[in-house]
Amino acid sequence: AYLLNKNETAVLADVKSKKLPASRLLQIYQNNDFTSLREALSAHFPVVEKLVGADYFKHLAYDFIRKHPPEYGNVQRYGEHFADFLSRHQVNDSLTYLADVAKLEWLIQEAYHAADADPLDIVALRKVAPEDYPILRFLLNPSVRFLESGYPVLKIWQNNQENYQDESEIRLDTGGETLAVFRTGMQIAFQKLTPGGYAFLHAIHRGCAFGTVCESAVQVESGFSVDIFFQQCALNHIVVAFTSEASQQS
């Protein structure tokens, strides 16, 4: 409570030191605590920091820390609410996309630290009788995360990466995008999703049988190719396993 400036100074009586006053020791501890949390936010949201500038990011970070103190001891999990914080904070009228960039950076953080998964066993899948495909239930890579944005947020993020070569102009009026963010090995990857692709993967995420998954995609996007999209998901390590209703019930 003292570290978060809640003025509970009774803690001063419990700090013993022969060299420095208790208030000075607590101030040092407070500075170190805030600095470590600010550095964690800086590591998790480097593009946000680049967009607003280091000095203003420090101001945002300290405000966020006071309003959202850590809930866990692991700083890798700190920053989950930063995007929501930015969406309520008037930063800059020209940075209307800032909260969505923060959402993307947090999903990258989550995907990077998600559990590993083996690739889809294509040999086993080929042994399934075609008439049994509708009852299969596929599993997504544990690292898969979804982002829907009204802005070209991936392009914005990419253009702010070191050594990125694309010099094309970013136009905010070109519309938004839906992304799947995931990890393959130690690399973060992205896949832009059409309405059908998003419906397809989201239905898998909800645990739907494959027949329902396909229907969900075709209903929202006429001409959606289930075969082509599923092959892409298998090759890109987005879909990693399957089971049947019978095996789930057993």
Side-chain angles (χ1 to χ4, degrees):
Y2 178 87
L3 293 177
L4 296 171
N5 294 327
K6 293 185 178 179
N7 298 321
E8 294 189 12
T9 54
V11 69
L12 292 172
D14 296 319
V15 180
K16 308 298 181 183
S17 174
K18 296 181 180 179
K19 295 184 178 181
L20 292 173
S23 59
R24 177 56 181 155
L25 288 174
L26 286 171
Q27 183 182 34
I28 293 172
Y29 191 84
Q30 183 189 57
N31 289 340
N32 289 340
D33 191 55
F34 270 64
T35 297
S36 65
L37 293 175
R38 177 182 58 78
E39 290 175 347
L41 291 173
S42 179
H44 298 163
F45 303 97
V47 173
V48 171
E49 182 175 20
K50 184 176 181 180
L51 290 170
V52 302
D55 290 340
Y56 193 65
F57 185 85
K58 183 184 295 186
H59 165 75
L60 288 172
Y62 284 170
D63 190 18
F64 176 78
I65 292 166
R66 290 188 176 93
K67 294 177 179 177
H68 299 276
E71 300 175 12
Y72 311 99
N74 185 353
V75 293
Q76 290 179 350
R77 301 180 66 179
Y78 189 60
E80 179 180 3
H81 306 295
F82 194 55
D84 291 336
F85 166 81
L86 292 176
S87 69
R88 298 188 299 268
H89 201 292
Q90 187 63 35
V91 178
N92 187 315
D93 290 338
S94 65
L95 297 177
T96 55
Y97 49 82
L98 190 66
D100 282 7
V101 173
K103 289 178 184 178
L104 176 58
E105 293 201 289
W106 183 251
L107 295 183
I108 291 171
Q109 173 75 5
E110 286 190 331
Y112 188 80
H113 293 286
D116 295 326
D118 294 326
L120 180 66
D121 189 342
I122 300 297
V123 174
L125 182 59
R126 286 174 178 164
K127 295 178 180 178
V128 176
E131 60 269 22
D132 290 334
Y133 285 174
I135 67 171
L136 295 181
R137 295 181 188 270
F138 288 90
L139 300 177
L140 298 180
N141 185 322
S143 69
V144 171
R145 301 292 188 275
F146 299 107
L147 174 64
E148 294 181 85
S149 174
Y151 303 99
V153 65
L154 179 58
K155 179 70 171 177
I156 295 169
W157 181 85
Q158 290 173 330
N159 272 36
N160 285 278
Q161 300 304 302
E162 188 176 359
N163 300 323
Y164 187 68
Q165 300 298 321
D166 189 351
E167 299 294 336
S168 61
E169 180 184 6
I170 298 176
R171 294 181 57 88
L172 299 182
D173 58 1
T174 57
E177 57 193 6
T178 301
L179 302 173
V181 183
F182 56 101
R183 178 170 56 82
T184 58
M186 298 301 293
Q187 298 297 318
I188 295 296
F190 310 93
Q191 181 159 328
K192 292 185 178 181
L193 301 174
T194 65
Y198 175 74
F200 186 94
L201 292 181
H202 200 61
I204 292 178
H205 179 66
R206 298 198 313 269
C208 296
F210 192 58
T212 302
V213 169
C214 298
E215 290 174 3
S216 299
V218 174
Q219 284 176 357
V220 299
E221 183 179 333
S222 61
F224 180 80
S225 175
V226 170
D227 291 344
I228 293 176
F229 186 73
F230 182 81
Q231 289 173 12
Q232 291 175 344
C233 290
L235 289 173
N236 292 339
H237 201 40
I238 295 176
V239 175
V240 295
F242 70 92
T243 185
S244 68
E245 290 183 332
S247 64
Q248 281 195 335
Q249 293 170 356
S250 62

